[in-house]
Amino acid sequence: TIPISFIISHFFNQMTNELLSYQDSLEDKVSKIIKDNENLSLQIIQALTETIDAKDKYTNGHSRRVAEYTREIAKRCGYKRDELLNIYLIALLHDIGKICVPDFIINKTSKLTKEEYDIVKQHSILGAHILSKIQNKPDLVLGARWHHERYDGFGYPDGLKGKDIPEIARIIAVADAYDAMTSNRSYREALPQKYVRFEIAKERGKQFDPIFADIMLKMIDNDAEYKLREAFDSTRDRNEGMDFTTSALMSNYPEAALSMRISEYKEGGRHLSFSLLVDFGESMPGGFFVYKAGGKEELLYVNNIVLQMFGCNNLEEFRELTDYTFRGMVHKNDIERVELSIIEQIEKNDNKLDYVEYRICRKDGNIRWVDDYGRLVSTVEYGDVFYVLIRDITDEHFSREKATSMDHLTQVFNRRYFDDELKKNISHIMRHGGNLCLIMIDIDKFKQFNDLYGHFSGDKCLSQVAHTMRNSLKRKTDVLCRYGGEEFAVILPGAILEDASLVAEKLRRAVRDIGLPHEGGPCGIVTISAGVALLTGDDAKKLNNPAGQLIELADKGLYEAKEKGRNIVIVNRFTYNDSD
């Protein structure tokens, strides 16, 4: 493993010296070195930019084109020859942080969610973090960190304004926007030149520095046939014959792990092979591991965060816990599911692995939820391996699980959650004995309410009733759900029938006391009717369908309450014939 700071620093020093040693134009120098493939430093910068751009199949070559546009703008501003080289290199790596953004977000064809956009925005911080390792080239971070700042101060990540934004970043911002609009994207095709010009002119002094925006506008005006992009693309040597295998691993946070493999190639008759691994250590929210694909799936590398995740103090404890295999890391009940998911993803996604969620068992016996994201890579040293980032998502998992179980309108549990919770509680009393009570609730004459006041008011009524009932339940074990439409259900584990009846009465009075007007209701205000039923463990064992029959019994009480004028509670219990 070679430190990234050493490799990139070596590259910049060597490339700068070699480029300046030529006597012909700067463009010829760059083209000649790229064409001849005469030094390892150039291979590294090519690998880095190829890794960045290959993540987006629609904009391959973006980094190099932005560097070309940036250099041209700077040249027209009067920058000197050696300054232009530095600007070109800074712009070439402006998007290096995107190597840590997952492919499925970059190539998403629909609008990004807020969470996904927040992940994308982190690429500027990540890029600066990576390039800050090169201490003898501190200005490299200028483009990576601040190329998304806006001249009016509404950009990111730091909200810099005007000339507080480094000048190189202000130039890159214009070049980056031009290439974004003139490139095909996952969600749209390249925009017409008239529209591109209009957008840059419109954002002059807002998003863009007016000086550099004006230069870009002149470049567009001089490009009557809209060939600027093609002209820069034609200068590119695509390094045919070189084989780059890359891997990018990320997390949903600013810190991430980055792994890249530069495969075999020939240079001056010598066979070269390098591996590059960047691990941001304790600042990462997750761990990083590598394991062989196939066979026993032996782990090759595990960082300290993985050890902490499994509650191990050292590698020896981790080996003993997991047998140092991937199968040993996964909870036994999830192994088959995870393996099938990996196989399916490899077949469909060209050896890329999207997030796989599973449980792990720590050394102390506690169960945690994790996810991982990685890629299958072919290496000279170890053959096929998986490079994987793993995160502890236990809190996130249960928060998400709860969110998918909530009714979005009333913010109480939904029907899916009700069904699962009812079955779980019935299973418990069948094994251990005890009681389970159910209250079925209906808002009286709700159809008439909608007809009188409209559906918008109906939604507000549902939300207000649900909020009132939820606040009236005091036991943490009691579960309020929206059963469907205007009907609600309350599961009362361990309650006796008398207590459940009192709870139902309390809910009825609480809703009545809201005093929400309802001219079509039985009392001139919004009210509810309720049916209450009790199920014991012995009852559950005698019934063919205890969940369905408990709902039916409570519903029978609810129907009787409606028949008797509404705004009342009816209680039912199971009865059996002598032959039962």
Side-chain angles (χ1 to χ4, degrees):
T1 299
I2 303 174
I4 188 172
S5 56
F6 173 81
I7 294 178
I8 301 181
S9 178
H10 169 74
F11 151 68
F12 278 111
N13 290 335
Q14 187 171 343
M15 185 173 182
T16 301
N17 292 334
E18 289 175 356
L19 284 173
L20 292 177
S21 67
Y22 287 95
Q23 297 301 314
D24 45 4
S25 69
L26 181 62
E27 291 81 359
D28 291 339
K29 297 172 189 175
V30 176
S31 298
K32 181 174 179 56
I33 292 181
I34 293 177
K35 182 177 180 180
D36 295 342
N37 290 327
E38 290 181 349
N39 61 80
L40 175 61
S41 297
L42 185 57
Q43 303 291 355
I44 294 171
I45 191 61
Q46 288 170 333
L48 288 171
T49 54
E50 289 288 336
T51 300
I52 299 164
D53 291 347
K55 290 178 68 64
D56 189 343
K57 61 184 178 182
Y58 295 93
T59 59
N60 203 358
H62 169 76
S63 297
R64 189 199 51 77
R65 287 193 302 272
V66 170
E68 296 279 4
Y69 300 144
T70 300
R71 183 175 61 185
E72 181 63 25
I73 294 172
K75 183 178 180 180
R76 296 190 183 201
C77 282
Y79 276 85
K80 298 179 181 179
R81 187 187 68 171
D82 56 341
E83 293 174 325
L84 290 177
L85 171 61
N86 193 49
I87 287 171
Y88 180 85
L89 298 178
I90 293 171
L92 200 60
L93 292 174
H94 78 282
D95 263 348
I96 191 172
K98 280 190 176 178
I99 204 169
C100 301
V101 178
D103 296 353
F104 76 87
I105 293 180
I106 288 181
N107 292 299
K108 186 176 180 181
T109 56
S110 57
K111 183 178 180 180
L112 297 180
T113 65
K114 180 183 181 302
E115 292 74 17
E116 290 168 340
Y117 184 54
D118 287 342
I119 293 172
V120 172
K121 287 167 64 176
Q122 295 299 330
H123 81 275
S124 56
I125 297 175
L126 286 164
H129 185 91
I130 293 170
L131 297 177
S132 67
K133 304 290 184 180
I134 308 170
Q135 297 180 358
N136 64 339
K137 204 71 175 174
D139 52 353
L140 286 178
V141 304
L142 301 180
R145 185 175 184 95
W146 291 300
H147 68 281
H148 280 293
E149 298 289 357
R150 290 174 54 102
Y151 198 72
D152 57 13
F154 292 101
Y156 65 85
D158 300 312
L160 301 184
K161 183 176 181 180
K163 294 187 178 180
D164 289 339
I165 306 168
E167 187 165 291
I168 179 58
R170 283 179 272 149
I171 299 175
I172 294 174
V174 180
D176 189 39
Y178 176 82
D179 190 69
M181 288 188 282
T182 57
S183 300
N184 290 328
R185 291 298 171 108
S186 58
Y187 49 89
R188 60 148 174 82
E189 294 183 352
L191 301 173
Q193 175 154 264
K194 288 183 178 179
Y195 183 86
V196 175
R197 192 191 192 288
F198 170 80
E199 281 296 308
I200 292 178
K202 178 171 68 72
E203 293 299 321
R204 180 185 182 277
K206 298 177 183 177
Q207 181 176 352
F208 308 122
D209 184 313
I211 295 175
F212 304 129
D214 287 343
I215 294 175
M216 189 75 247
L217 291 172
K218 288 180 181 178
M219 290 169 60
I220 294 173
D221 291 340
N222 294 335
D223 181 30
E225 297 183 3
Y226 204 11
K227 299 291 185 181
L228 185 61
R229 175 189 165 98
E230 294 179 15
F232 281 126
D233 267 343
S234 66
T235 64
R236 183 185 183 194
D237 182 343
R238 296 187 180 275
N239 304 303
E240 294 186 7
M242 289 194 62
D243 175 26
F244 293 104
T245 307
T246 61
S247 173
L249 310 176
M250 62 76 63
S251 73
N252 285 328
Y253 298 90
E255 300 81 16
L258 164 67
S259 172
M260 184 183 71
R261 170 75 187 177
I262 304 178
S263 296
E264 304 174 29
Y265 56 90
K266 297 284 185 177
E267 181 185 26
R270 292 176 294 151
H271 180 270
L272 301 176
S273 178
F274 288 86
S275 293
L276 179 63
L277 175 65
V278 181
D279 183 346
F280 293 132
E282 299 300 322
S283 64
M284 291 171 56
F288 188 68
F289 66 89
V290 182
Y291 70 93
K292 288 191 71 173
K296 197 178 179 182
E297 297 175 334
E298 178 185 0
L299 292 171
L300 303 174
Y301 170 77
V302 177
N303 73 353
N304 288 332
I305 297 177
V306 174
L307 300 183
Q308 296 169 13
M309 198 177 299
F310 280 82
C312 298
N313 295 315
N314 50 55
L315 189 58
E316 288 69 28
E317 291 183 0
F318 183 78
R319 285 182 185 274
E320 184 178 348
L321 180 67
T322 66
D323 195 29
Y324 214 51
T325 64
F326 176 68
R327 286 176 60 90
M329 292 173 57
V330 181
H331 190 279
K332 62 181 181 179
N333 293 339
D334 291 343
I335 289 176
E336 182 177 359
R337 175 179 59 82
V338 171
E339 288 184 338
L340 288 174
S341 176
I342 290 175
I343 292 171
E344 182 179 359
Q345 288 191 46
I346 291 175
E347 291 176 349
K348 291 182 178 179
N349 298 327
D350 190 26
N351 296 341
K352 300 174 186 177
L353 298 180
D354 290 333
Y355 291 104
V356 180
E357 293 188 7
Y358 52 90
R359 288 166 291 182
I360 63 171
C361 185
R362 287 169 47 91
K363 183 184 176 185
D364 58 14
N366 288 327
I367 304 297
R368 305 291 293 178
W369 277 92
V370 301
D371 71 3
D372 67 40
Y373 171 86
R375 188 173 300 180
L376 184 67
V377 178
S378 180
T379 69
V380 175
E381 296 90 340
Y382 303 109
D384 288 344
V385 301
F386 278 107
Y387 283 13
V388 182
L389 178 72
I390 181 173
R391 302 181 308 141
D392 187 325
I393 60 162
T394 304
D395 294 339
E396 177 184 330
H397 173 84
F398 287 114
S399 295
R400 186 170 66 246
E401 187 177 74
K402 182 178 180 181
T404 59
S405 301
M406 300 296 288
D407 176 65
H408 75 281
L409 175 63
T410 60
Q411 292 302 300
V412 298
F413 291 111
N414 58 23
R415 174 64 183 273
R416 171 190 165 192
Y417 187 86
F418 168 81
D419 291 338
D420 291 342
E421 193 70 9
L422 188 63
K423 289 178 182 178
K424 183 176 72 174
N425 279 280
I426 290 174
S427 176
H428 177 81
I429 64 172
M430 289 178 71
R431 290 196 308 267
H432 305 289
N435 300 329
L436 176 65
C437 285
L438 177 66
I439 307 173
M440 297 300 293
I441 300 166
D442 196 44
I443 299 178
D444 294 326
K445 301 283 187 178
F446 188 71
K447 182 180 182 303
Q448 287 87 335
F449 186 93
N450 272 330
D451 292 341
L452 283 168
Y453 305 106
H455 289 279
F456 179 75
S457 295
D459 287 346
K460 291 180 65 176
C461 174
L462 285 169
S463 297
Q464 197 165 357
V465 169
H467 177 76
T468 300
M469 291 194 297
R470 185 179 61 228
N471 288 343
S472 299
L473 294 172
K474 299 305 180 183
R475 296 196 314 168
K476 291 183 179 180
T477 54
D478 295 342
V479 179
L480 173 65
C481 306
R482 186 181 180 189
Y483 189 76
E486 71 275 17
E487 195 167 2
F488 295 85
V490 182
I491 300 173
L492 303 168
I496 62 175
L497 199 58
E498 290 75 11
D499 289 340
S501 176
L502 291 174
V503 171
E505 279 291 339
K506 181 179 181 182
L507 298 179
R508 185 191 65 80
R509 290 194 300 270
V511 172
R512 181 201 61 193
D513 291 345
I514 299 174
L516 190 64
H518 181 8
E519 293 179 10
C523 304
I525 58 174
V526 170
T527 57
I528 62 172
S529 298
V532 184
L534 166 71
L535 179 72
T536 67
D538 291 336
D539 291 335
K541 293 175 183 178
K542 295 177 182 179
L543 300 172
N544 295 326
N545 179 16
Q549 289 171 267
L550 176 62
I551 295 171
E552 185 179 358
L553 186 63
D555 252 341
K556 182 181 177 182
L558 175 58
Y559 180 78
E560 291 177 14
K562 292 181 179 181
E563 287 290 300
K564 292 182 178 180
R566 293 184 168 84
N567 190 31
I568 58 175
V569 174
I570 298 294
V571 178
N572 280 325
R573 65 171 67 240
F574 285 103
T575 58
Y576 302 95
N577 298 324
D578 293 338
S579 58
D580 289 340

